[in-house]
Amino acid sequence: MPTRLTGAELARVWLRIARLGLALLVHVPLHYLFRLVRLPSPWPRLFLASAARIAGARVKRVGTPLKRDVFYVSNHLSWIDILALGGASGTAFVAKAEIGASPLVGWLASLNRTVYVKRENRMGVAEQINQLREALAETWAVTIFPEGTTTDGKSLLPFKTPMLRVLEPPPPGVMVQPVMLEYGTAAEDIAWIGQERGLNNAKRVLARKQRFRLRVHFLEPFDPRDFPGRKAIAAESRRRIEEALVRTLGHPLRPFRFAEDPIGYKAQAQGQG
């Protein structure tokens, strides 16, 4: 059901949209100018960091991200993840095609060379892998969200492995670095879950009065050659993220309260989670 906003909340939404528009007017022309003269452009990263702040996130980087030749593997809660991770590391992304179809978020993600995938397009996996290899070669860092969807910050779904085929075998010198995103007490409110539409989620987040903490934990990297095959790489990444998430929460993870279907989510049977 669409969220109804008060007058004050609606004013905050439009104020933040105006600030995002101003940031675009500053960053995007500079980005294209750098691309025109074939210089590495820092502007997508700077814009994403600014956009995260405008959206209300107080992003803190924990740990040290590898700067190049790295494949980040992260848990996933929200579209804010892209802003925060991109701003903290300059990474490109692999995201589901629905994100790319979003008028604003999709365009912003595309500026950062996001590779979009369709989960139902199993015949196109080889093409998607080729796109991923090109992105890794061009940007030196690529992030995937192997859960395949967003969760609530207190759950962790099984990691899907098709996009990890790019690491079979690993490109020379490439490392894997797991990343754990932590939204603290705001996690369930920020998370894009259930049957909520993306536009409604963005409206809710932008309408919030309180800023929210987001810690981006860059965990210890590992050499994918030590874990041959995409399933072993996925399992090791998930193990490290789960350990970090449990340590942060102070209690075991709970089963996710929603089951994914082709459109969105549907509630699981009562009693689960």
Side-chain angles (χ1 to χ4, degrees), residues 92-93 113 115 130-142:
F93 292 90
R113 298 185 180 181
V115 177
N130 288 334
Q131 289 179 318
L132 186 54
R133 286 186 184 276
E134 291 173 4
L136 186 58
E138 290 180 6
T139 64
W140 304 329
V142 173

Side-chain angles (χ1 to χ4, degrees), residues 193-210:
I193 57 176
Q195 294 185 353
E196 184 178 29
R197 298 297 182 185
L199 183 60
N200 191 77
N201 180 269
K203 182 173 68 174
R204 280 198 310 103
V205 172
L206 295 178
R208 287 172 54 94
K209 183 178 182 179
Q210 297 83 9

Side-chain angles (χ1 to χ4, degrees), residues 74-76 147 151-159 237-243 245 253-256:
S74 177
N75 62 322
H76 195 20
E147 291 171 282
T151 55
D152 55 13
K154 296 185 179 180
S155 312
L156 196 64
L157 293 174
F159 280 10
S237 299
R238 190 184 187 283
R239 182 188 69 79
R240 295 188 184 205
I241 293 172
E242 180 176 0
E243 283 186 356
L245 189 54
L253 302 185
R254 68 187 185 190
F256 190 44

Side-chain angles (χ1 to χ4, degrees), residues 31-267:
H31 167 65
Y32 284 122
L33 177 61
F34 271 60
R35 293 292 299 275
L36 183 64
V37 296
R38 300 181 182 275
L39 289 175
S41 174
W43 299 105
R45 176 177 182 173
L46 294 174
F47 172 76
L48 291 173
S50 296
R53 288 193 297 271
I54 292 169
R58 292 184 289 110
V59 179
K60 180 179 180 180
R61 192 174 72 186
V62 181
T64 304
L66 298 179
K67 294 186 181 297
R68 59 176 300 155
D69 297 330
V70 59
F71 204 88
Y72 298 124
V73 179
S74 177
N75 62 322
H76 195 20
L77 287 81
S78 166
W79 52 274
I80 298 288
D81 301 349
I82 292 176
L83 307 181
L85 251 171
S89 68
T91 179
F93 292 90
V94 178
K96 59 185 181 181
E98 291 88 338
I99 295 291
S102 301
L104 178 60
V105 177
W107 178 63
L108 295 178
S110 296
L111 286 178
N112 209 46
R113 298 185 180 181
T114 297
V115 177
Y116 297 109
V117 299
K118 295 182 179 180
R119 286 170 291 175
E120 69 276 9
N121 185 15
R122 301 191 181 278
M123 297 300 291
V125 168
E127 179 183 350
Q128 293 167 0
I129 293 297
N130 288 334
Q131 289 179 318
L132 186 54
R133 286 186 184 276
E134 291 173 4
L136 186 58
E138 290 180 6
T139 64
W140 304 329
V142 173
T143 296
I144 66 166
F145 300 109
E147 291 171 282
T149 188
T150 47
T151 55
D152 55 13
K154 296 185 179 180
S155 312
L156 196 64
L157 293 174
F159 280 10
K160 299 175 182 178
T161 64
M163 289 300 104
L164 288 170
R165 287 180 182 171
V166 70
L167 299 176
E168 290 183 329
V174 169
M175 298 286 283
V176 173
Q177 186 165 24
V179 179
M180 191 269 286
L181 300 174
E182 175 213 346
Y183 283 78
T185 56
E188 291 180 273
D189 189 38
I190 298 298
W192 179 7
I193 57 176
Q195 294 185 353
E196 184 178 29
R197 298 297 182 185
L199 183 60
N200 191 77
N201 180 269
K203 182 173 68 174
R204 280 198 310 103
V205 172
L206 295 178
R208 287 172 54 94
K209 183 178 182 179
Q210 297 83 9
R211 296 176 65 81
F212 55 92
R213 184 196 72 188
L214 170 50
R215 292 184 178 176
V216 183
H217 296 256
F218 290 93
L219 307 179
E220 191 68 22
F222 64 89
D223 192 331
R225 295 155 193 79
D226 295 335
F227 300 88
R230 65 183 189 271
K231 291 185 179 180
I233 293 170
E236 179 63 15
S237 299
R238 190 184 187 283
R239 182 188 69 79
R240 295 188 184 205
I241 293 172
E242 180 176 0
E243 283 186 356
L245 189 54
V246 168
R247 188 165 56 246
T248 298
L249 293 173
H251 57 75
L253 302 185
R254 68 187 185 190
F256 190 44
R257 296 180 297 120
F258 297 90
E260 189 179 1
D261 67 22
I263 298 176
Y265 301 92
K266 56 187 177 183

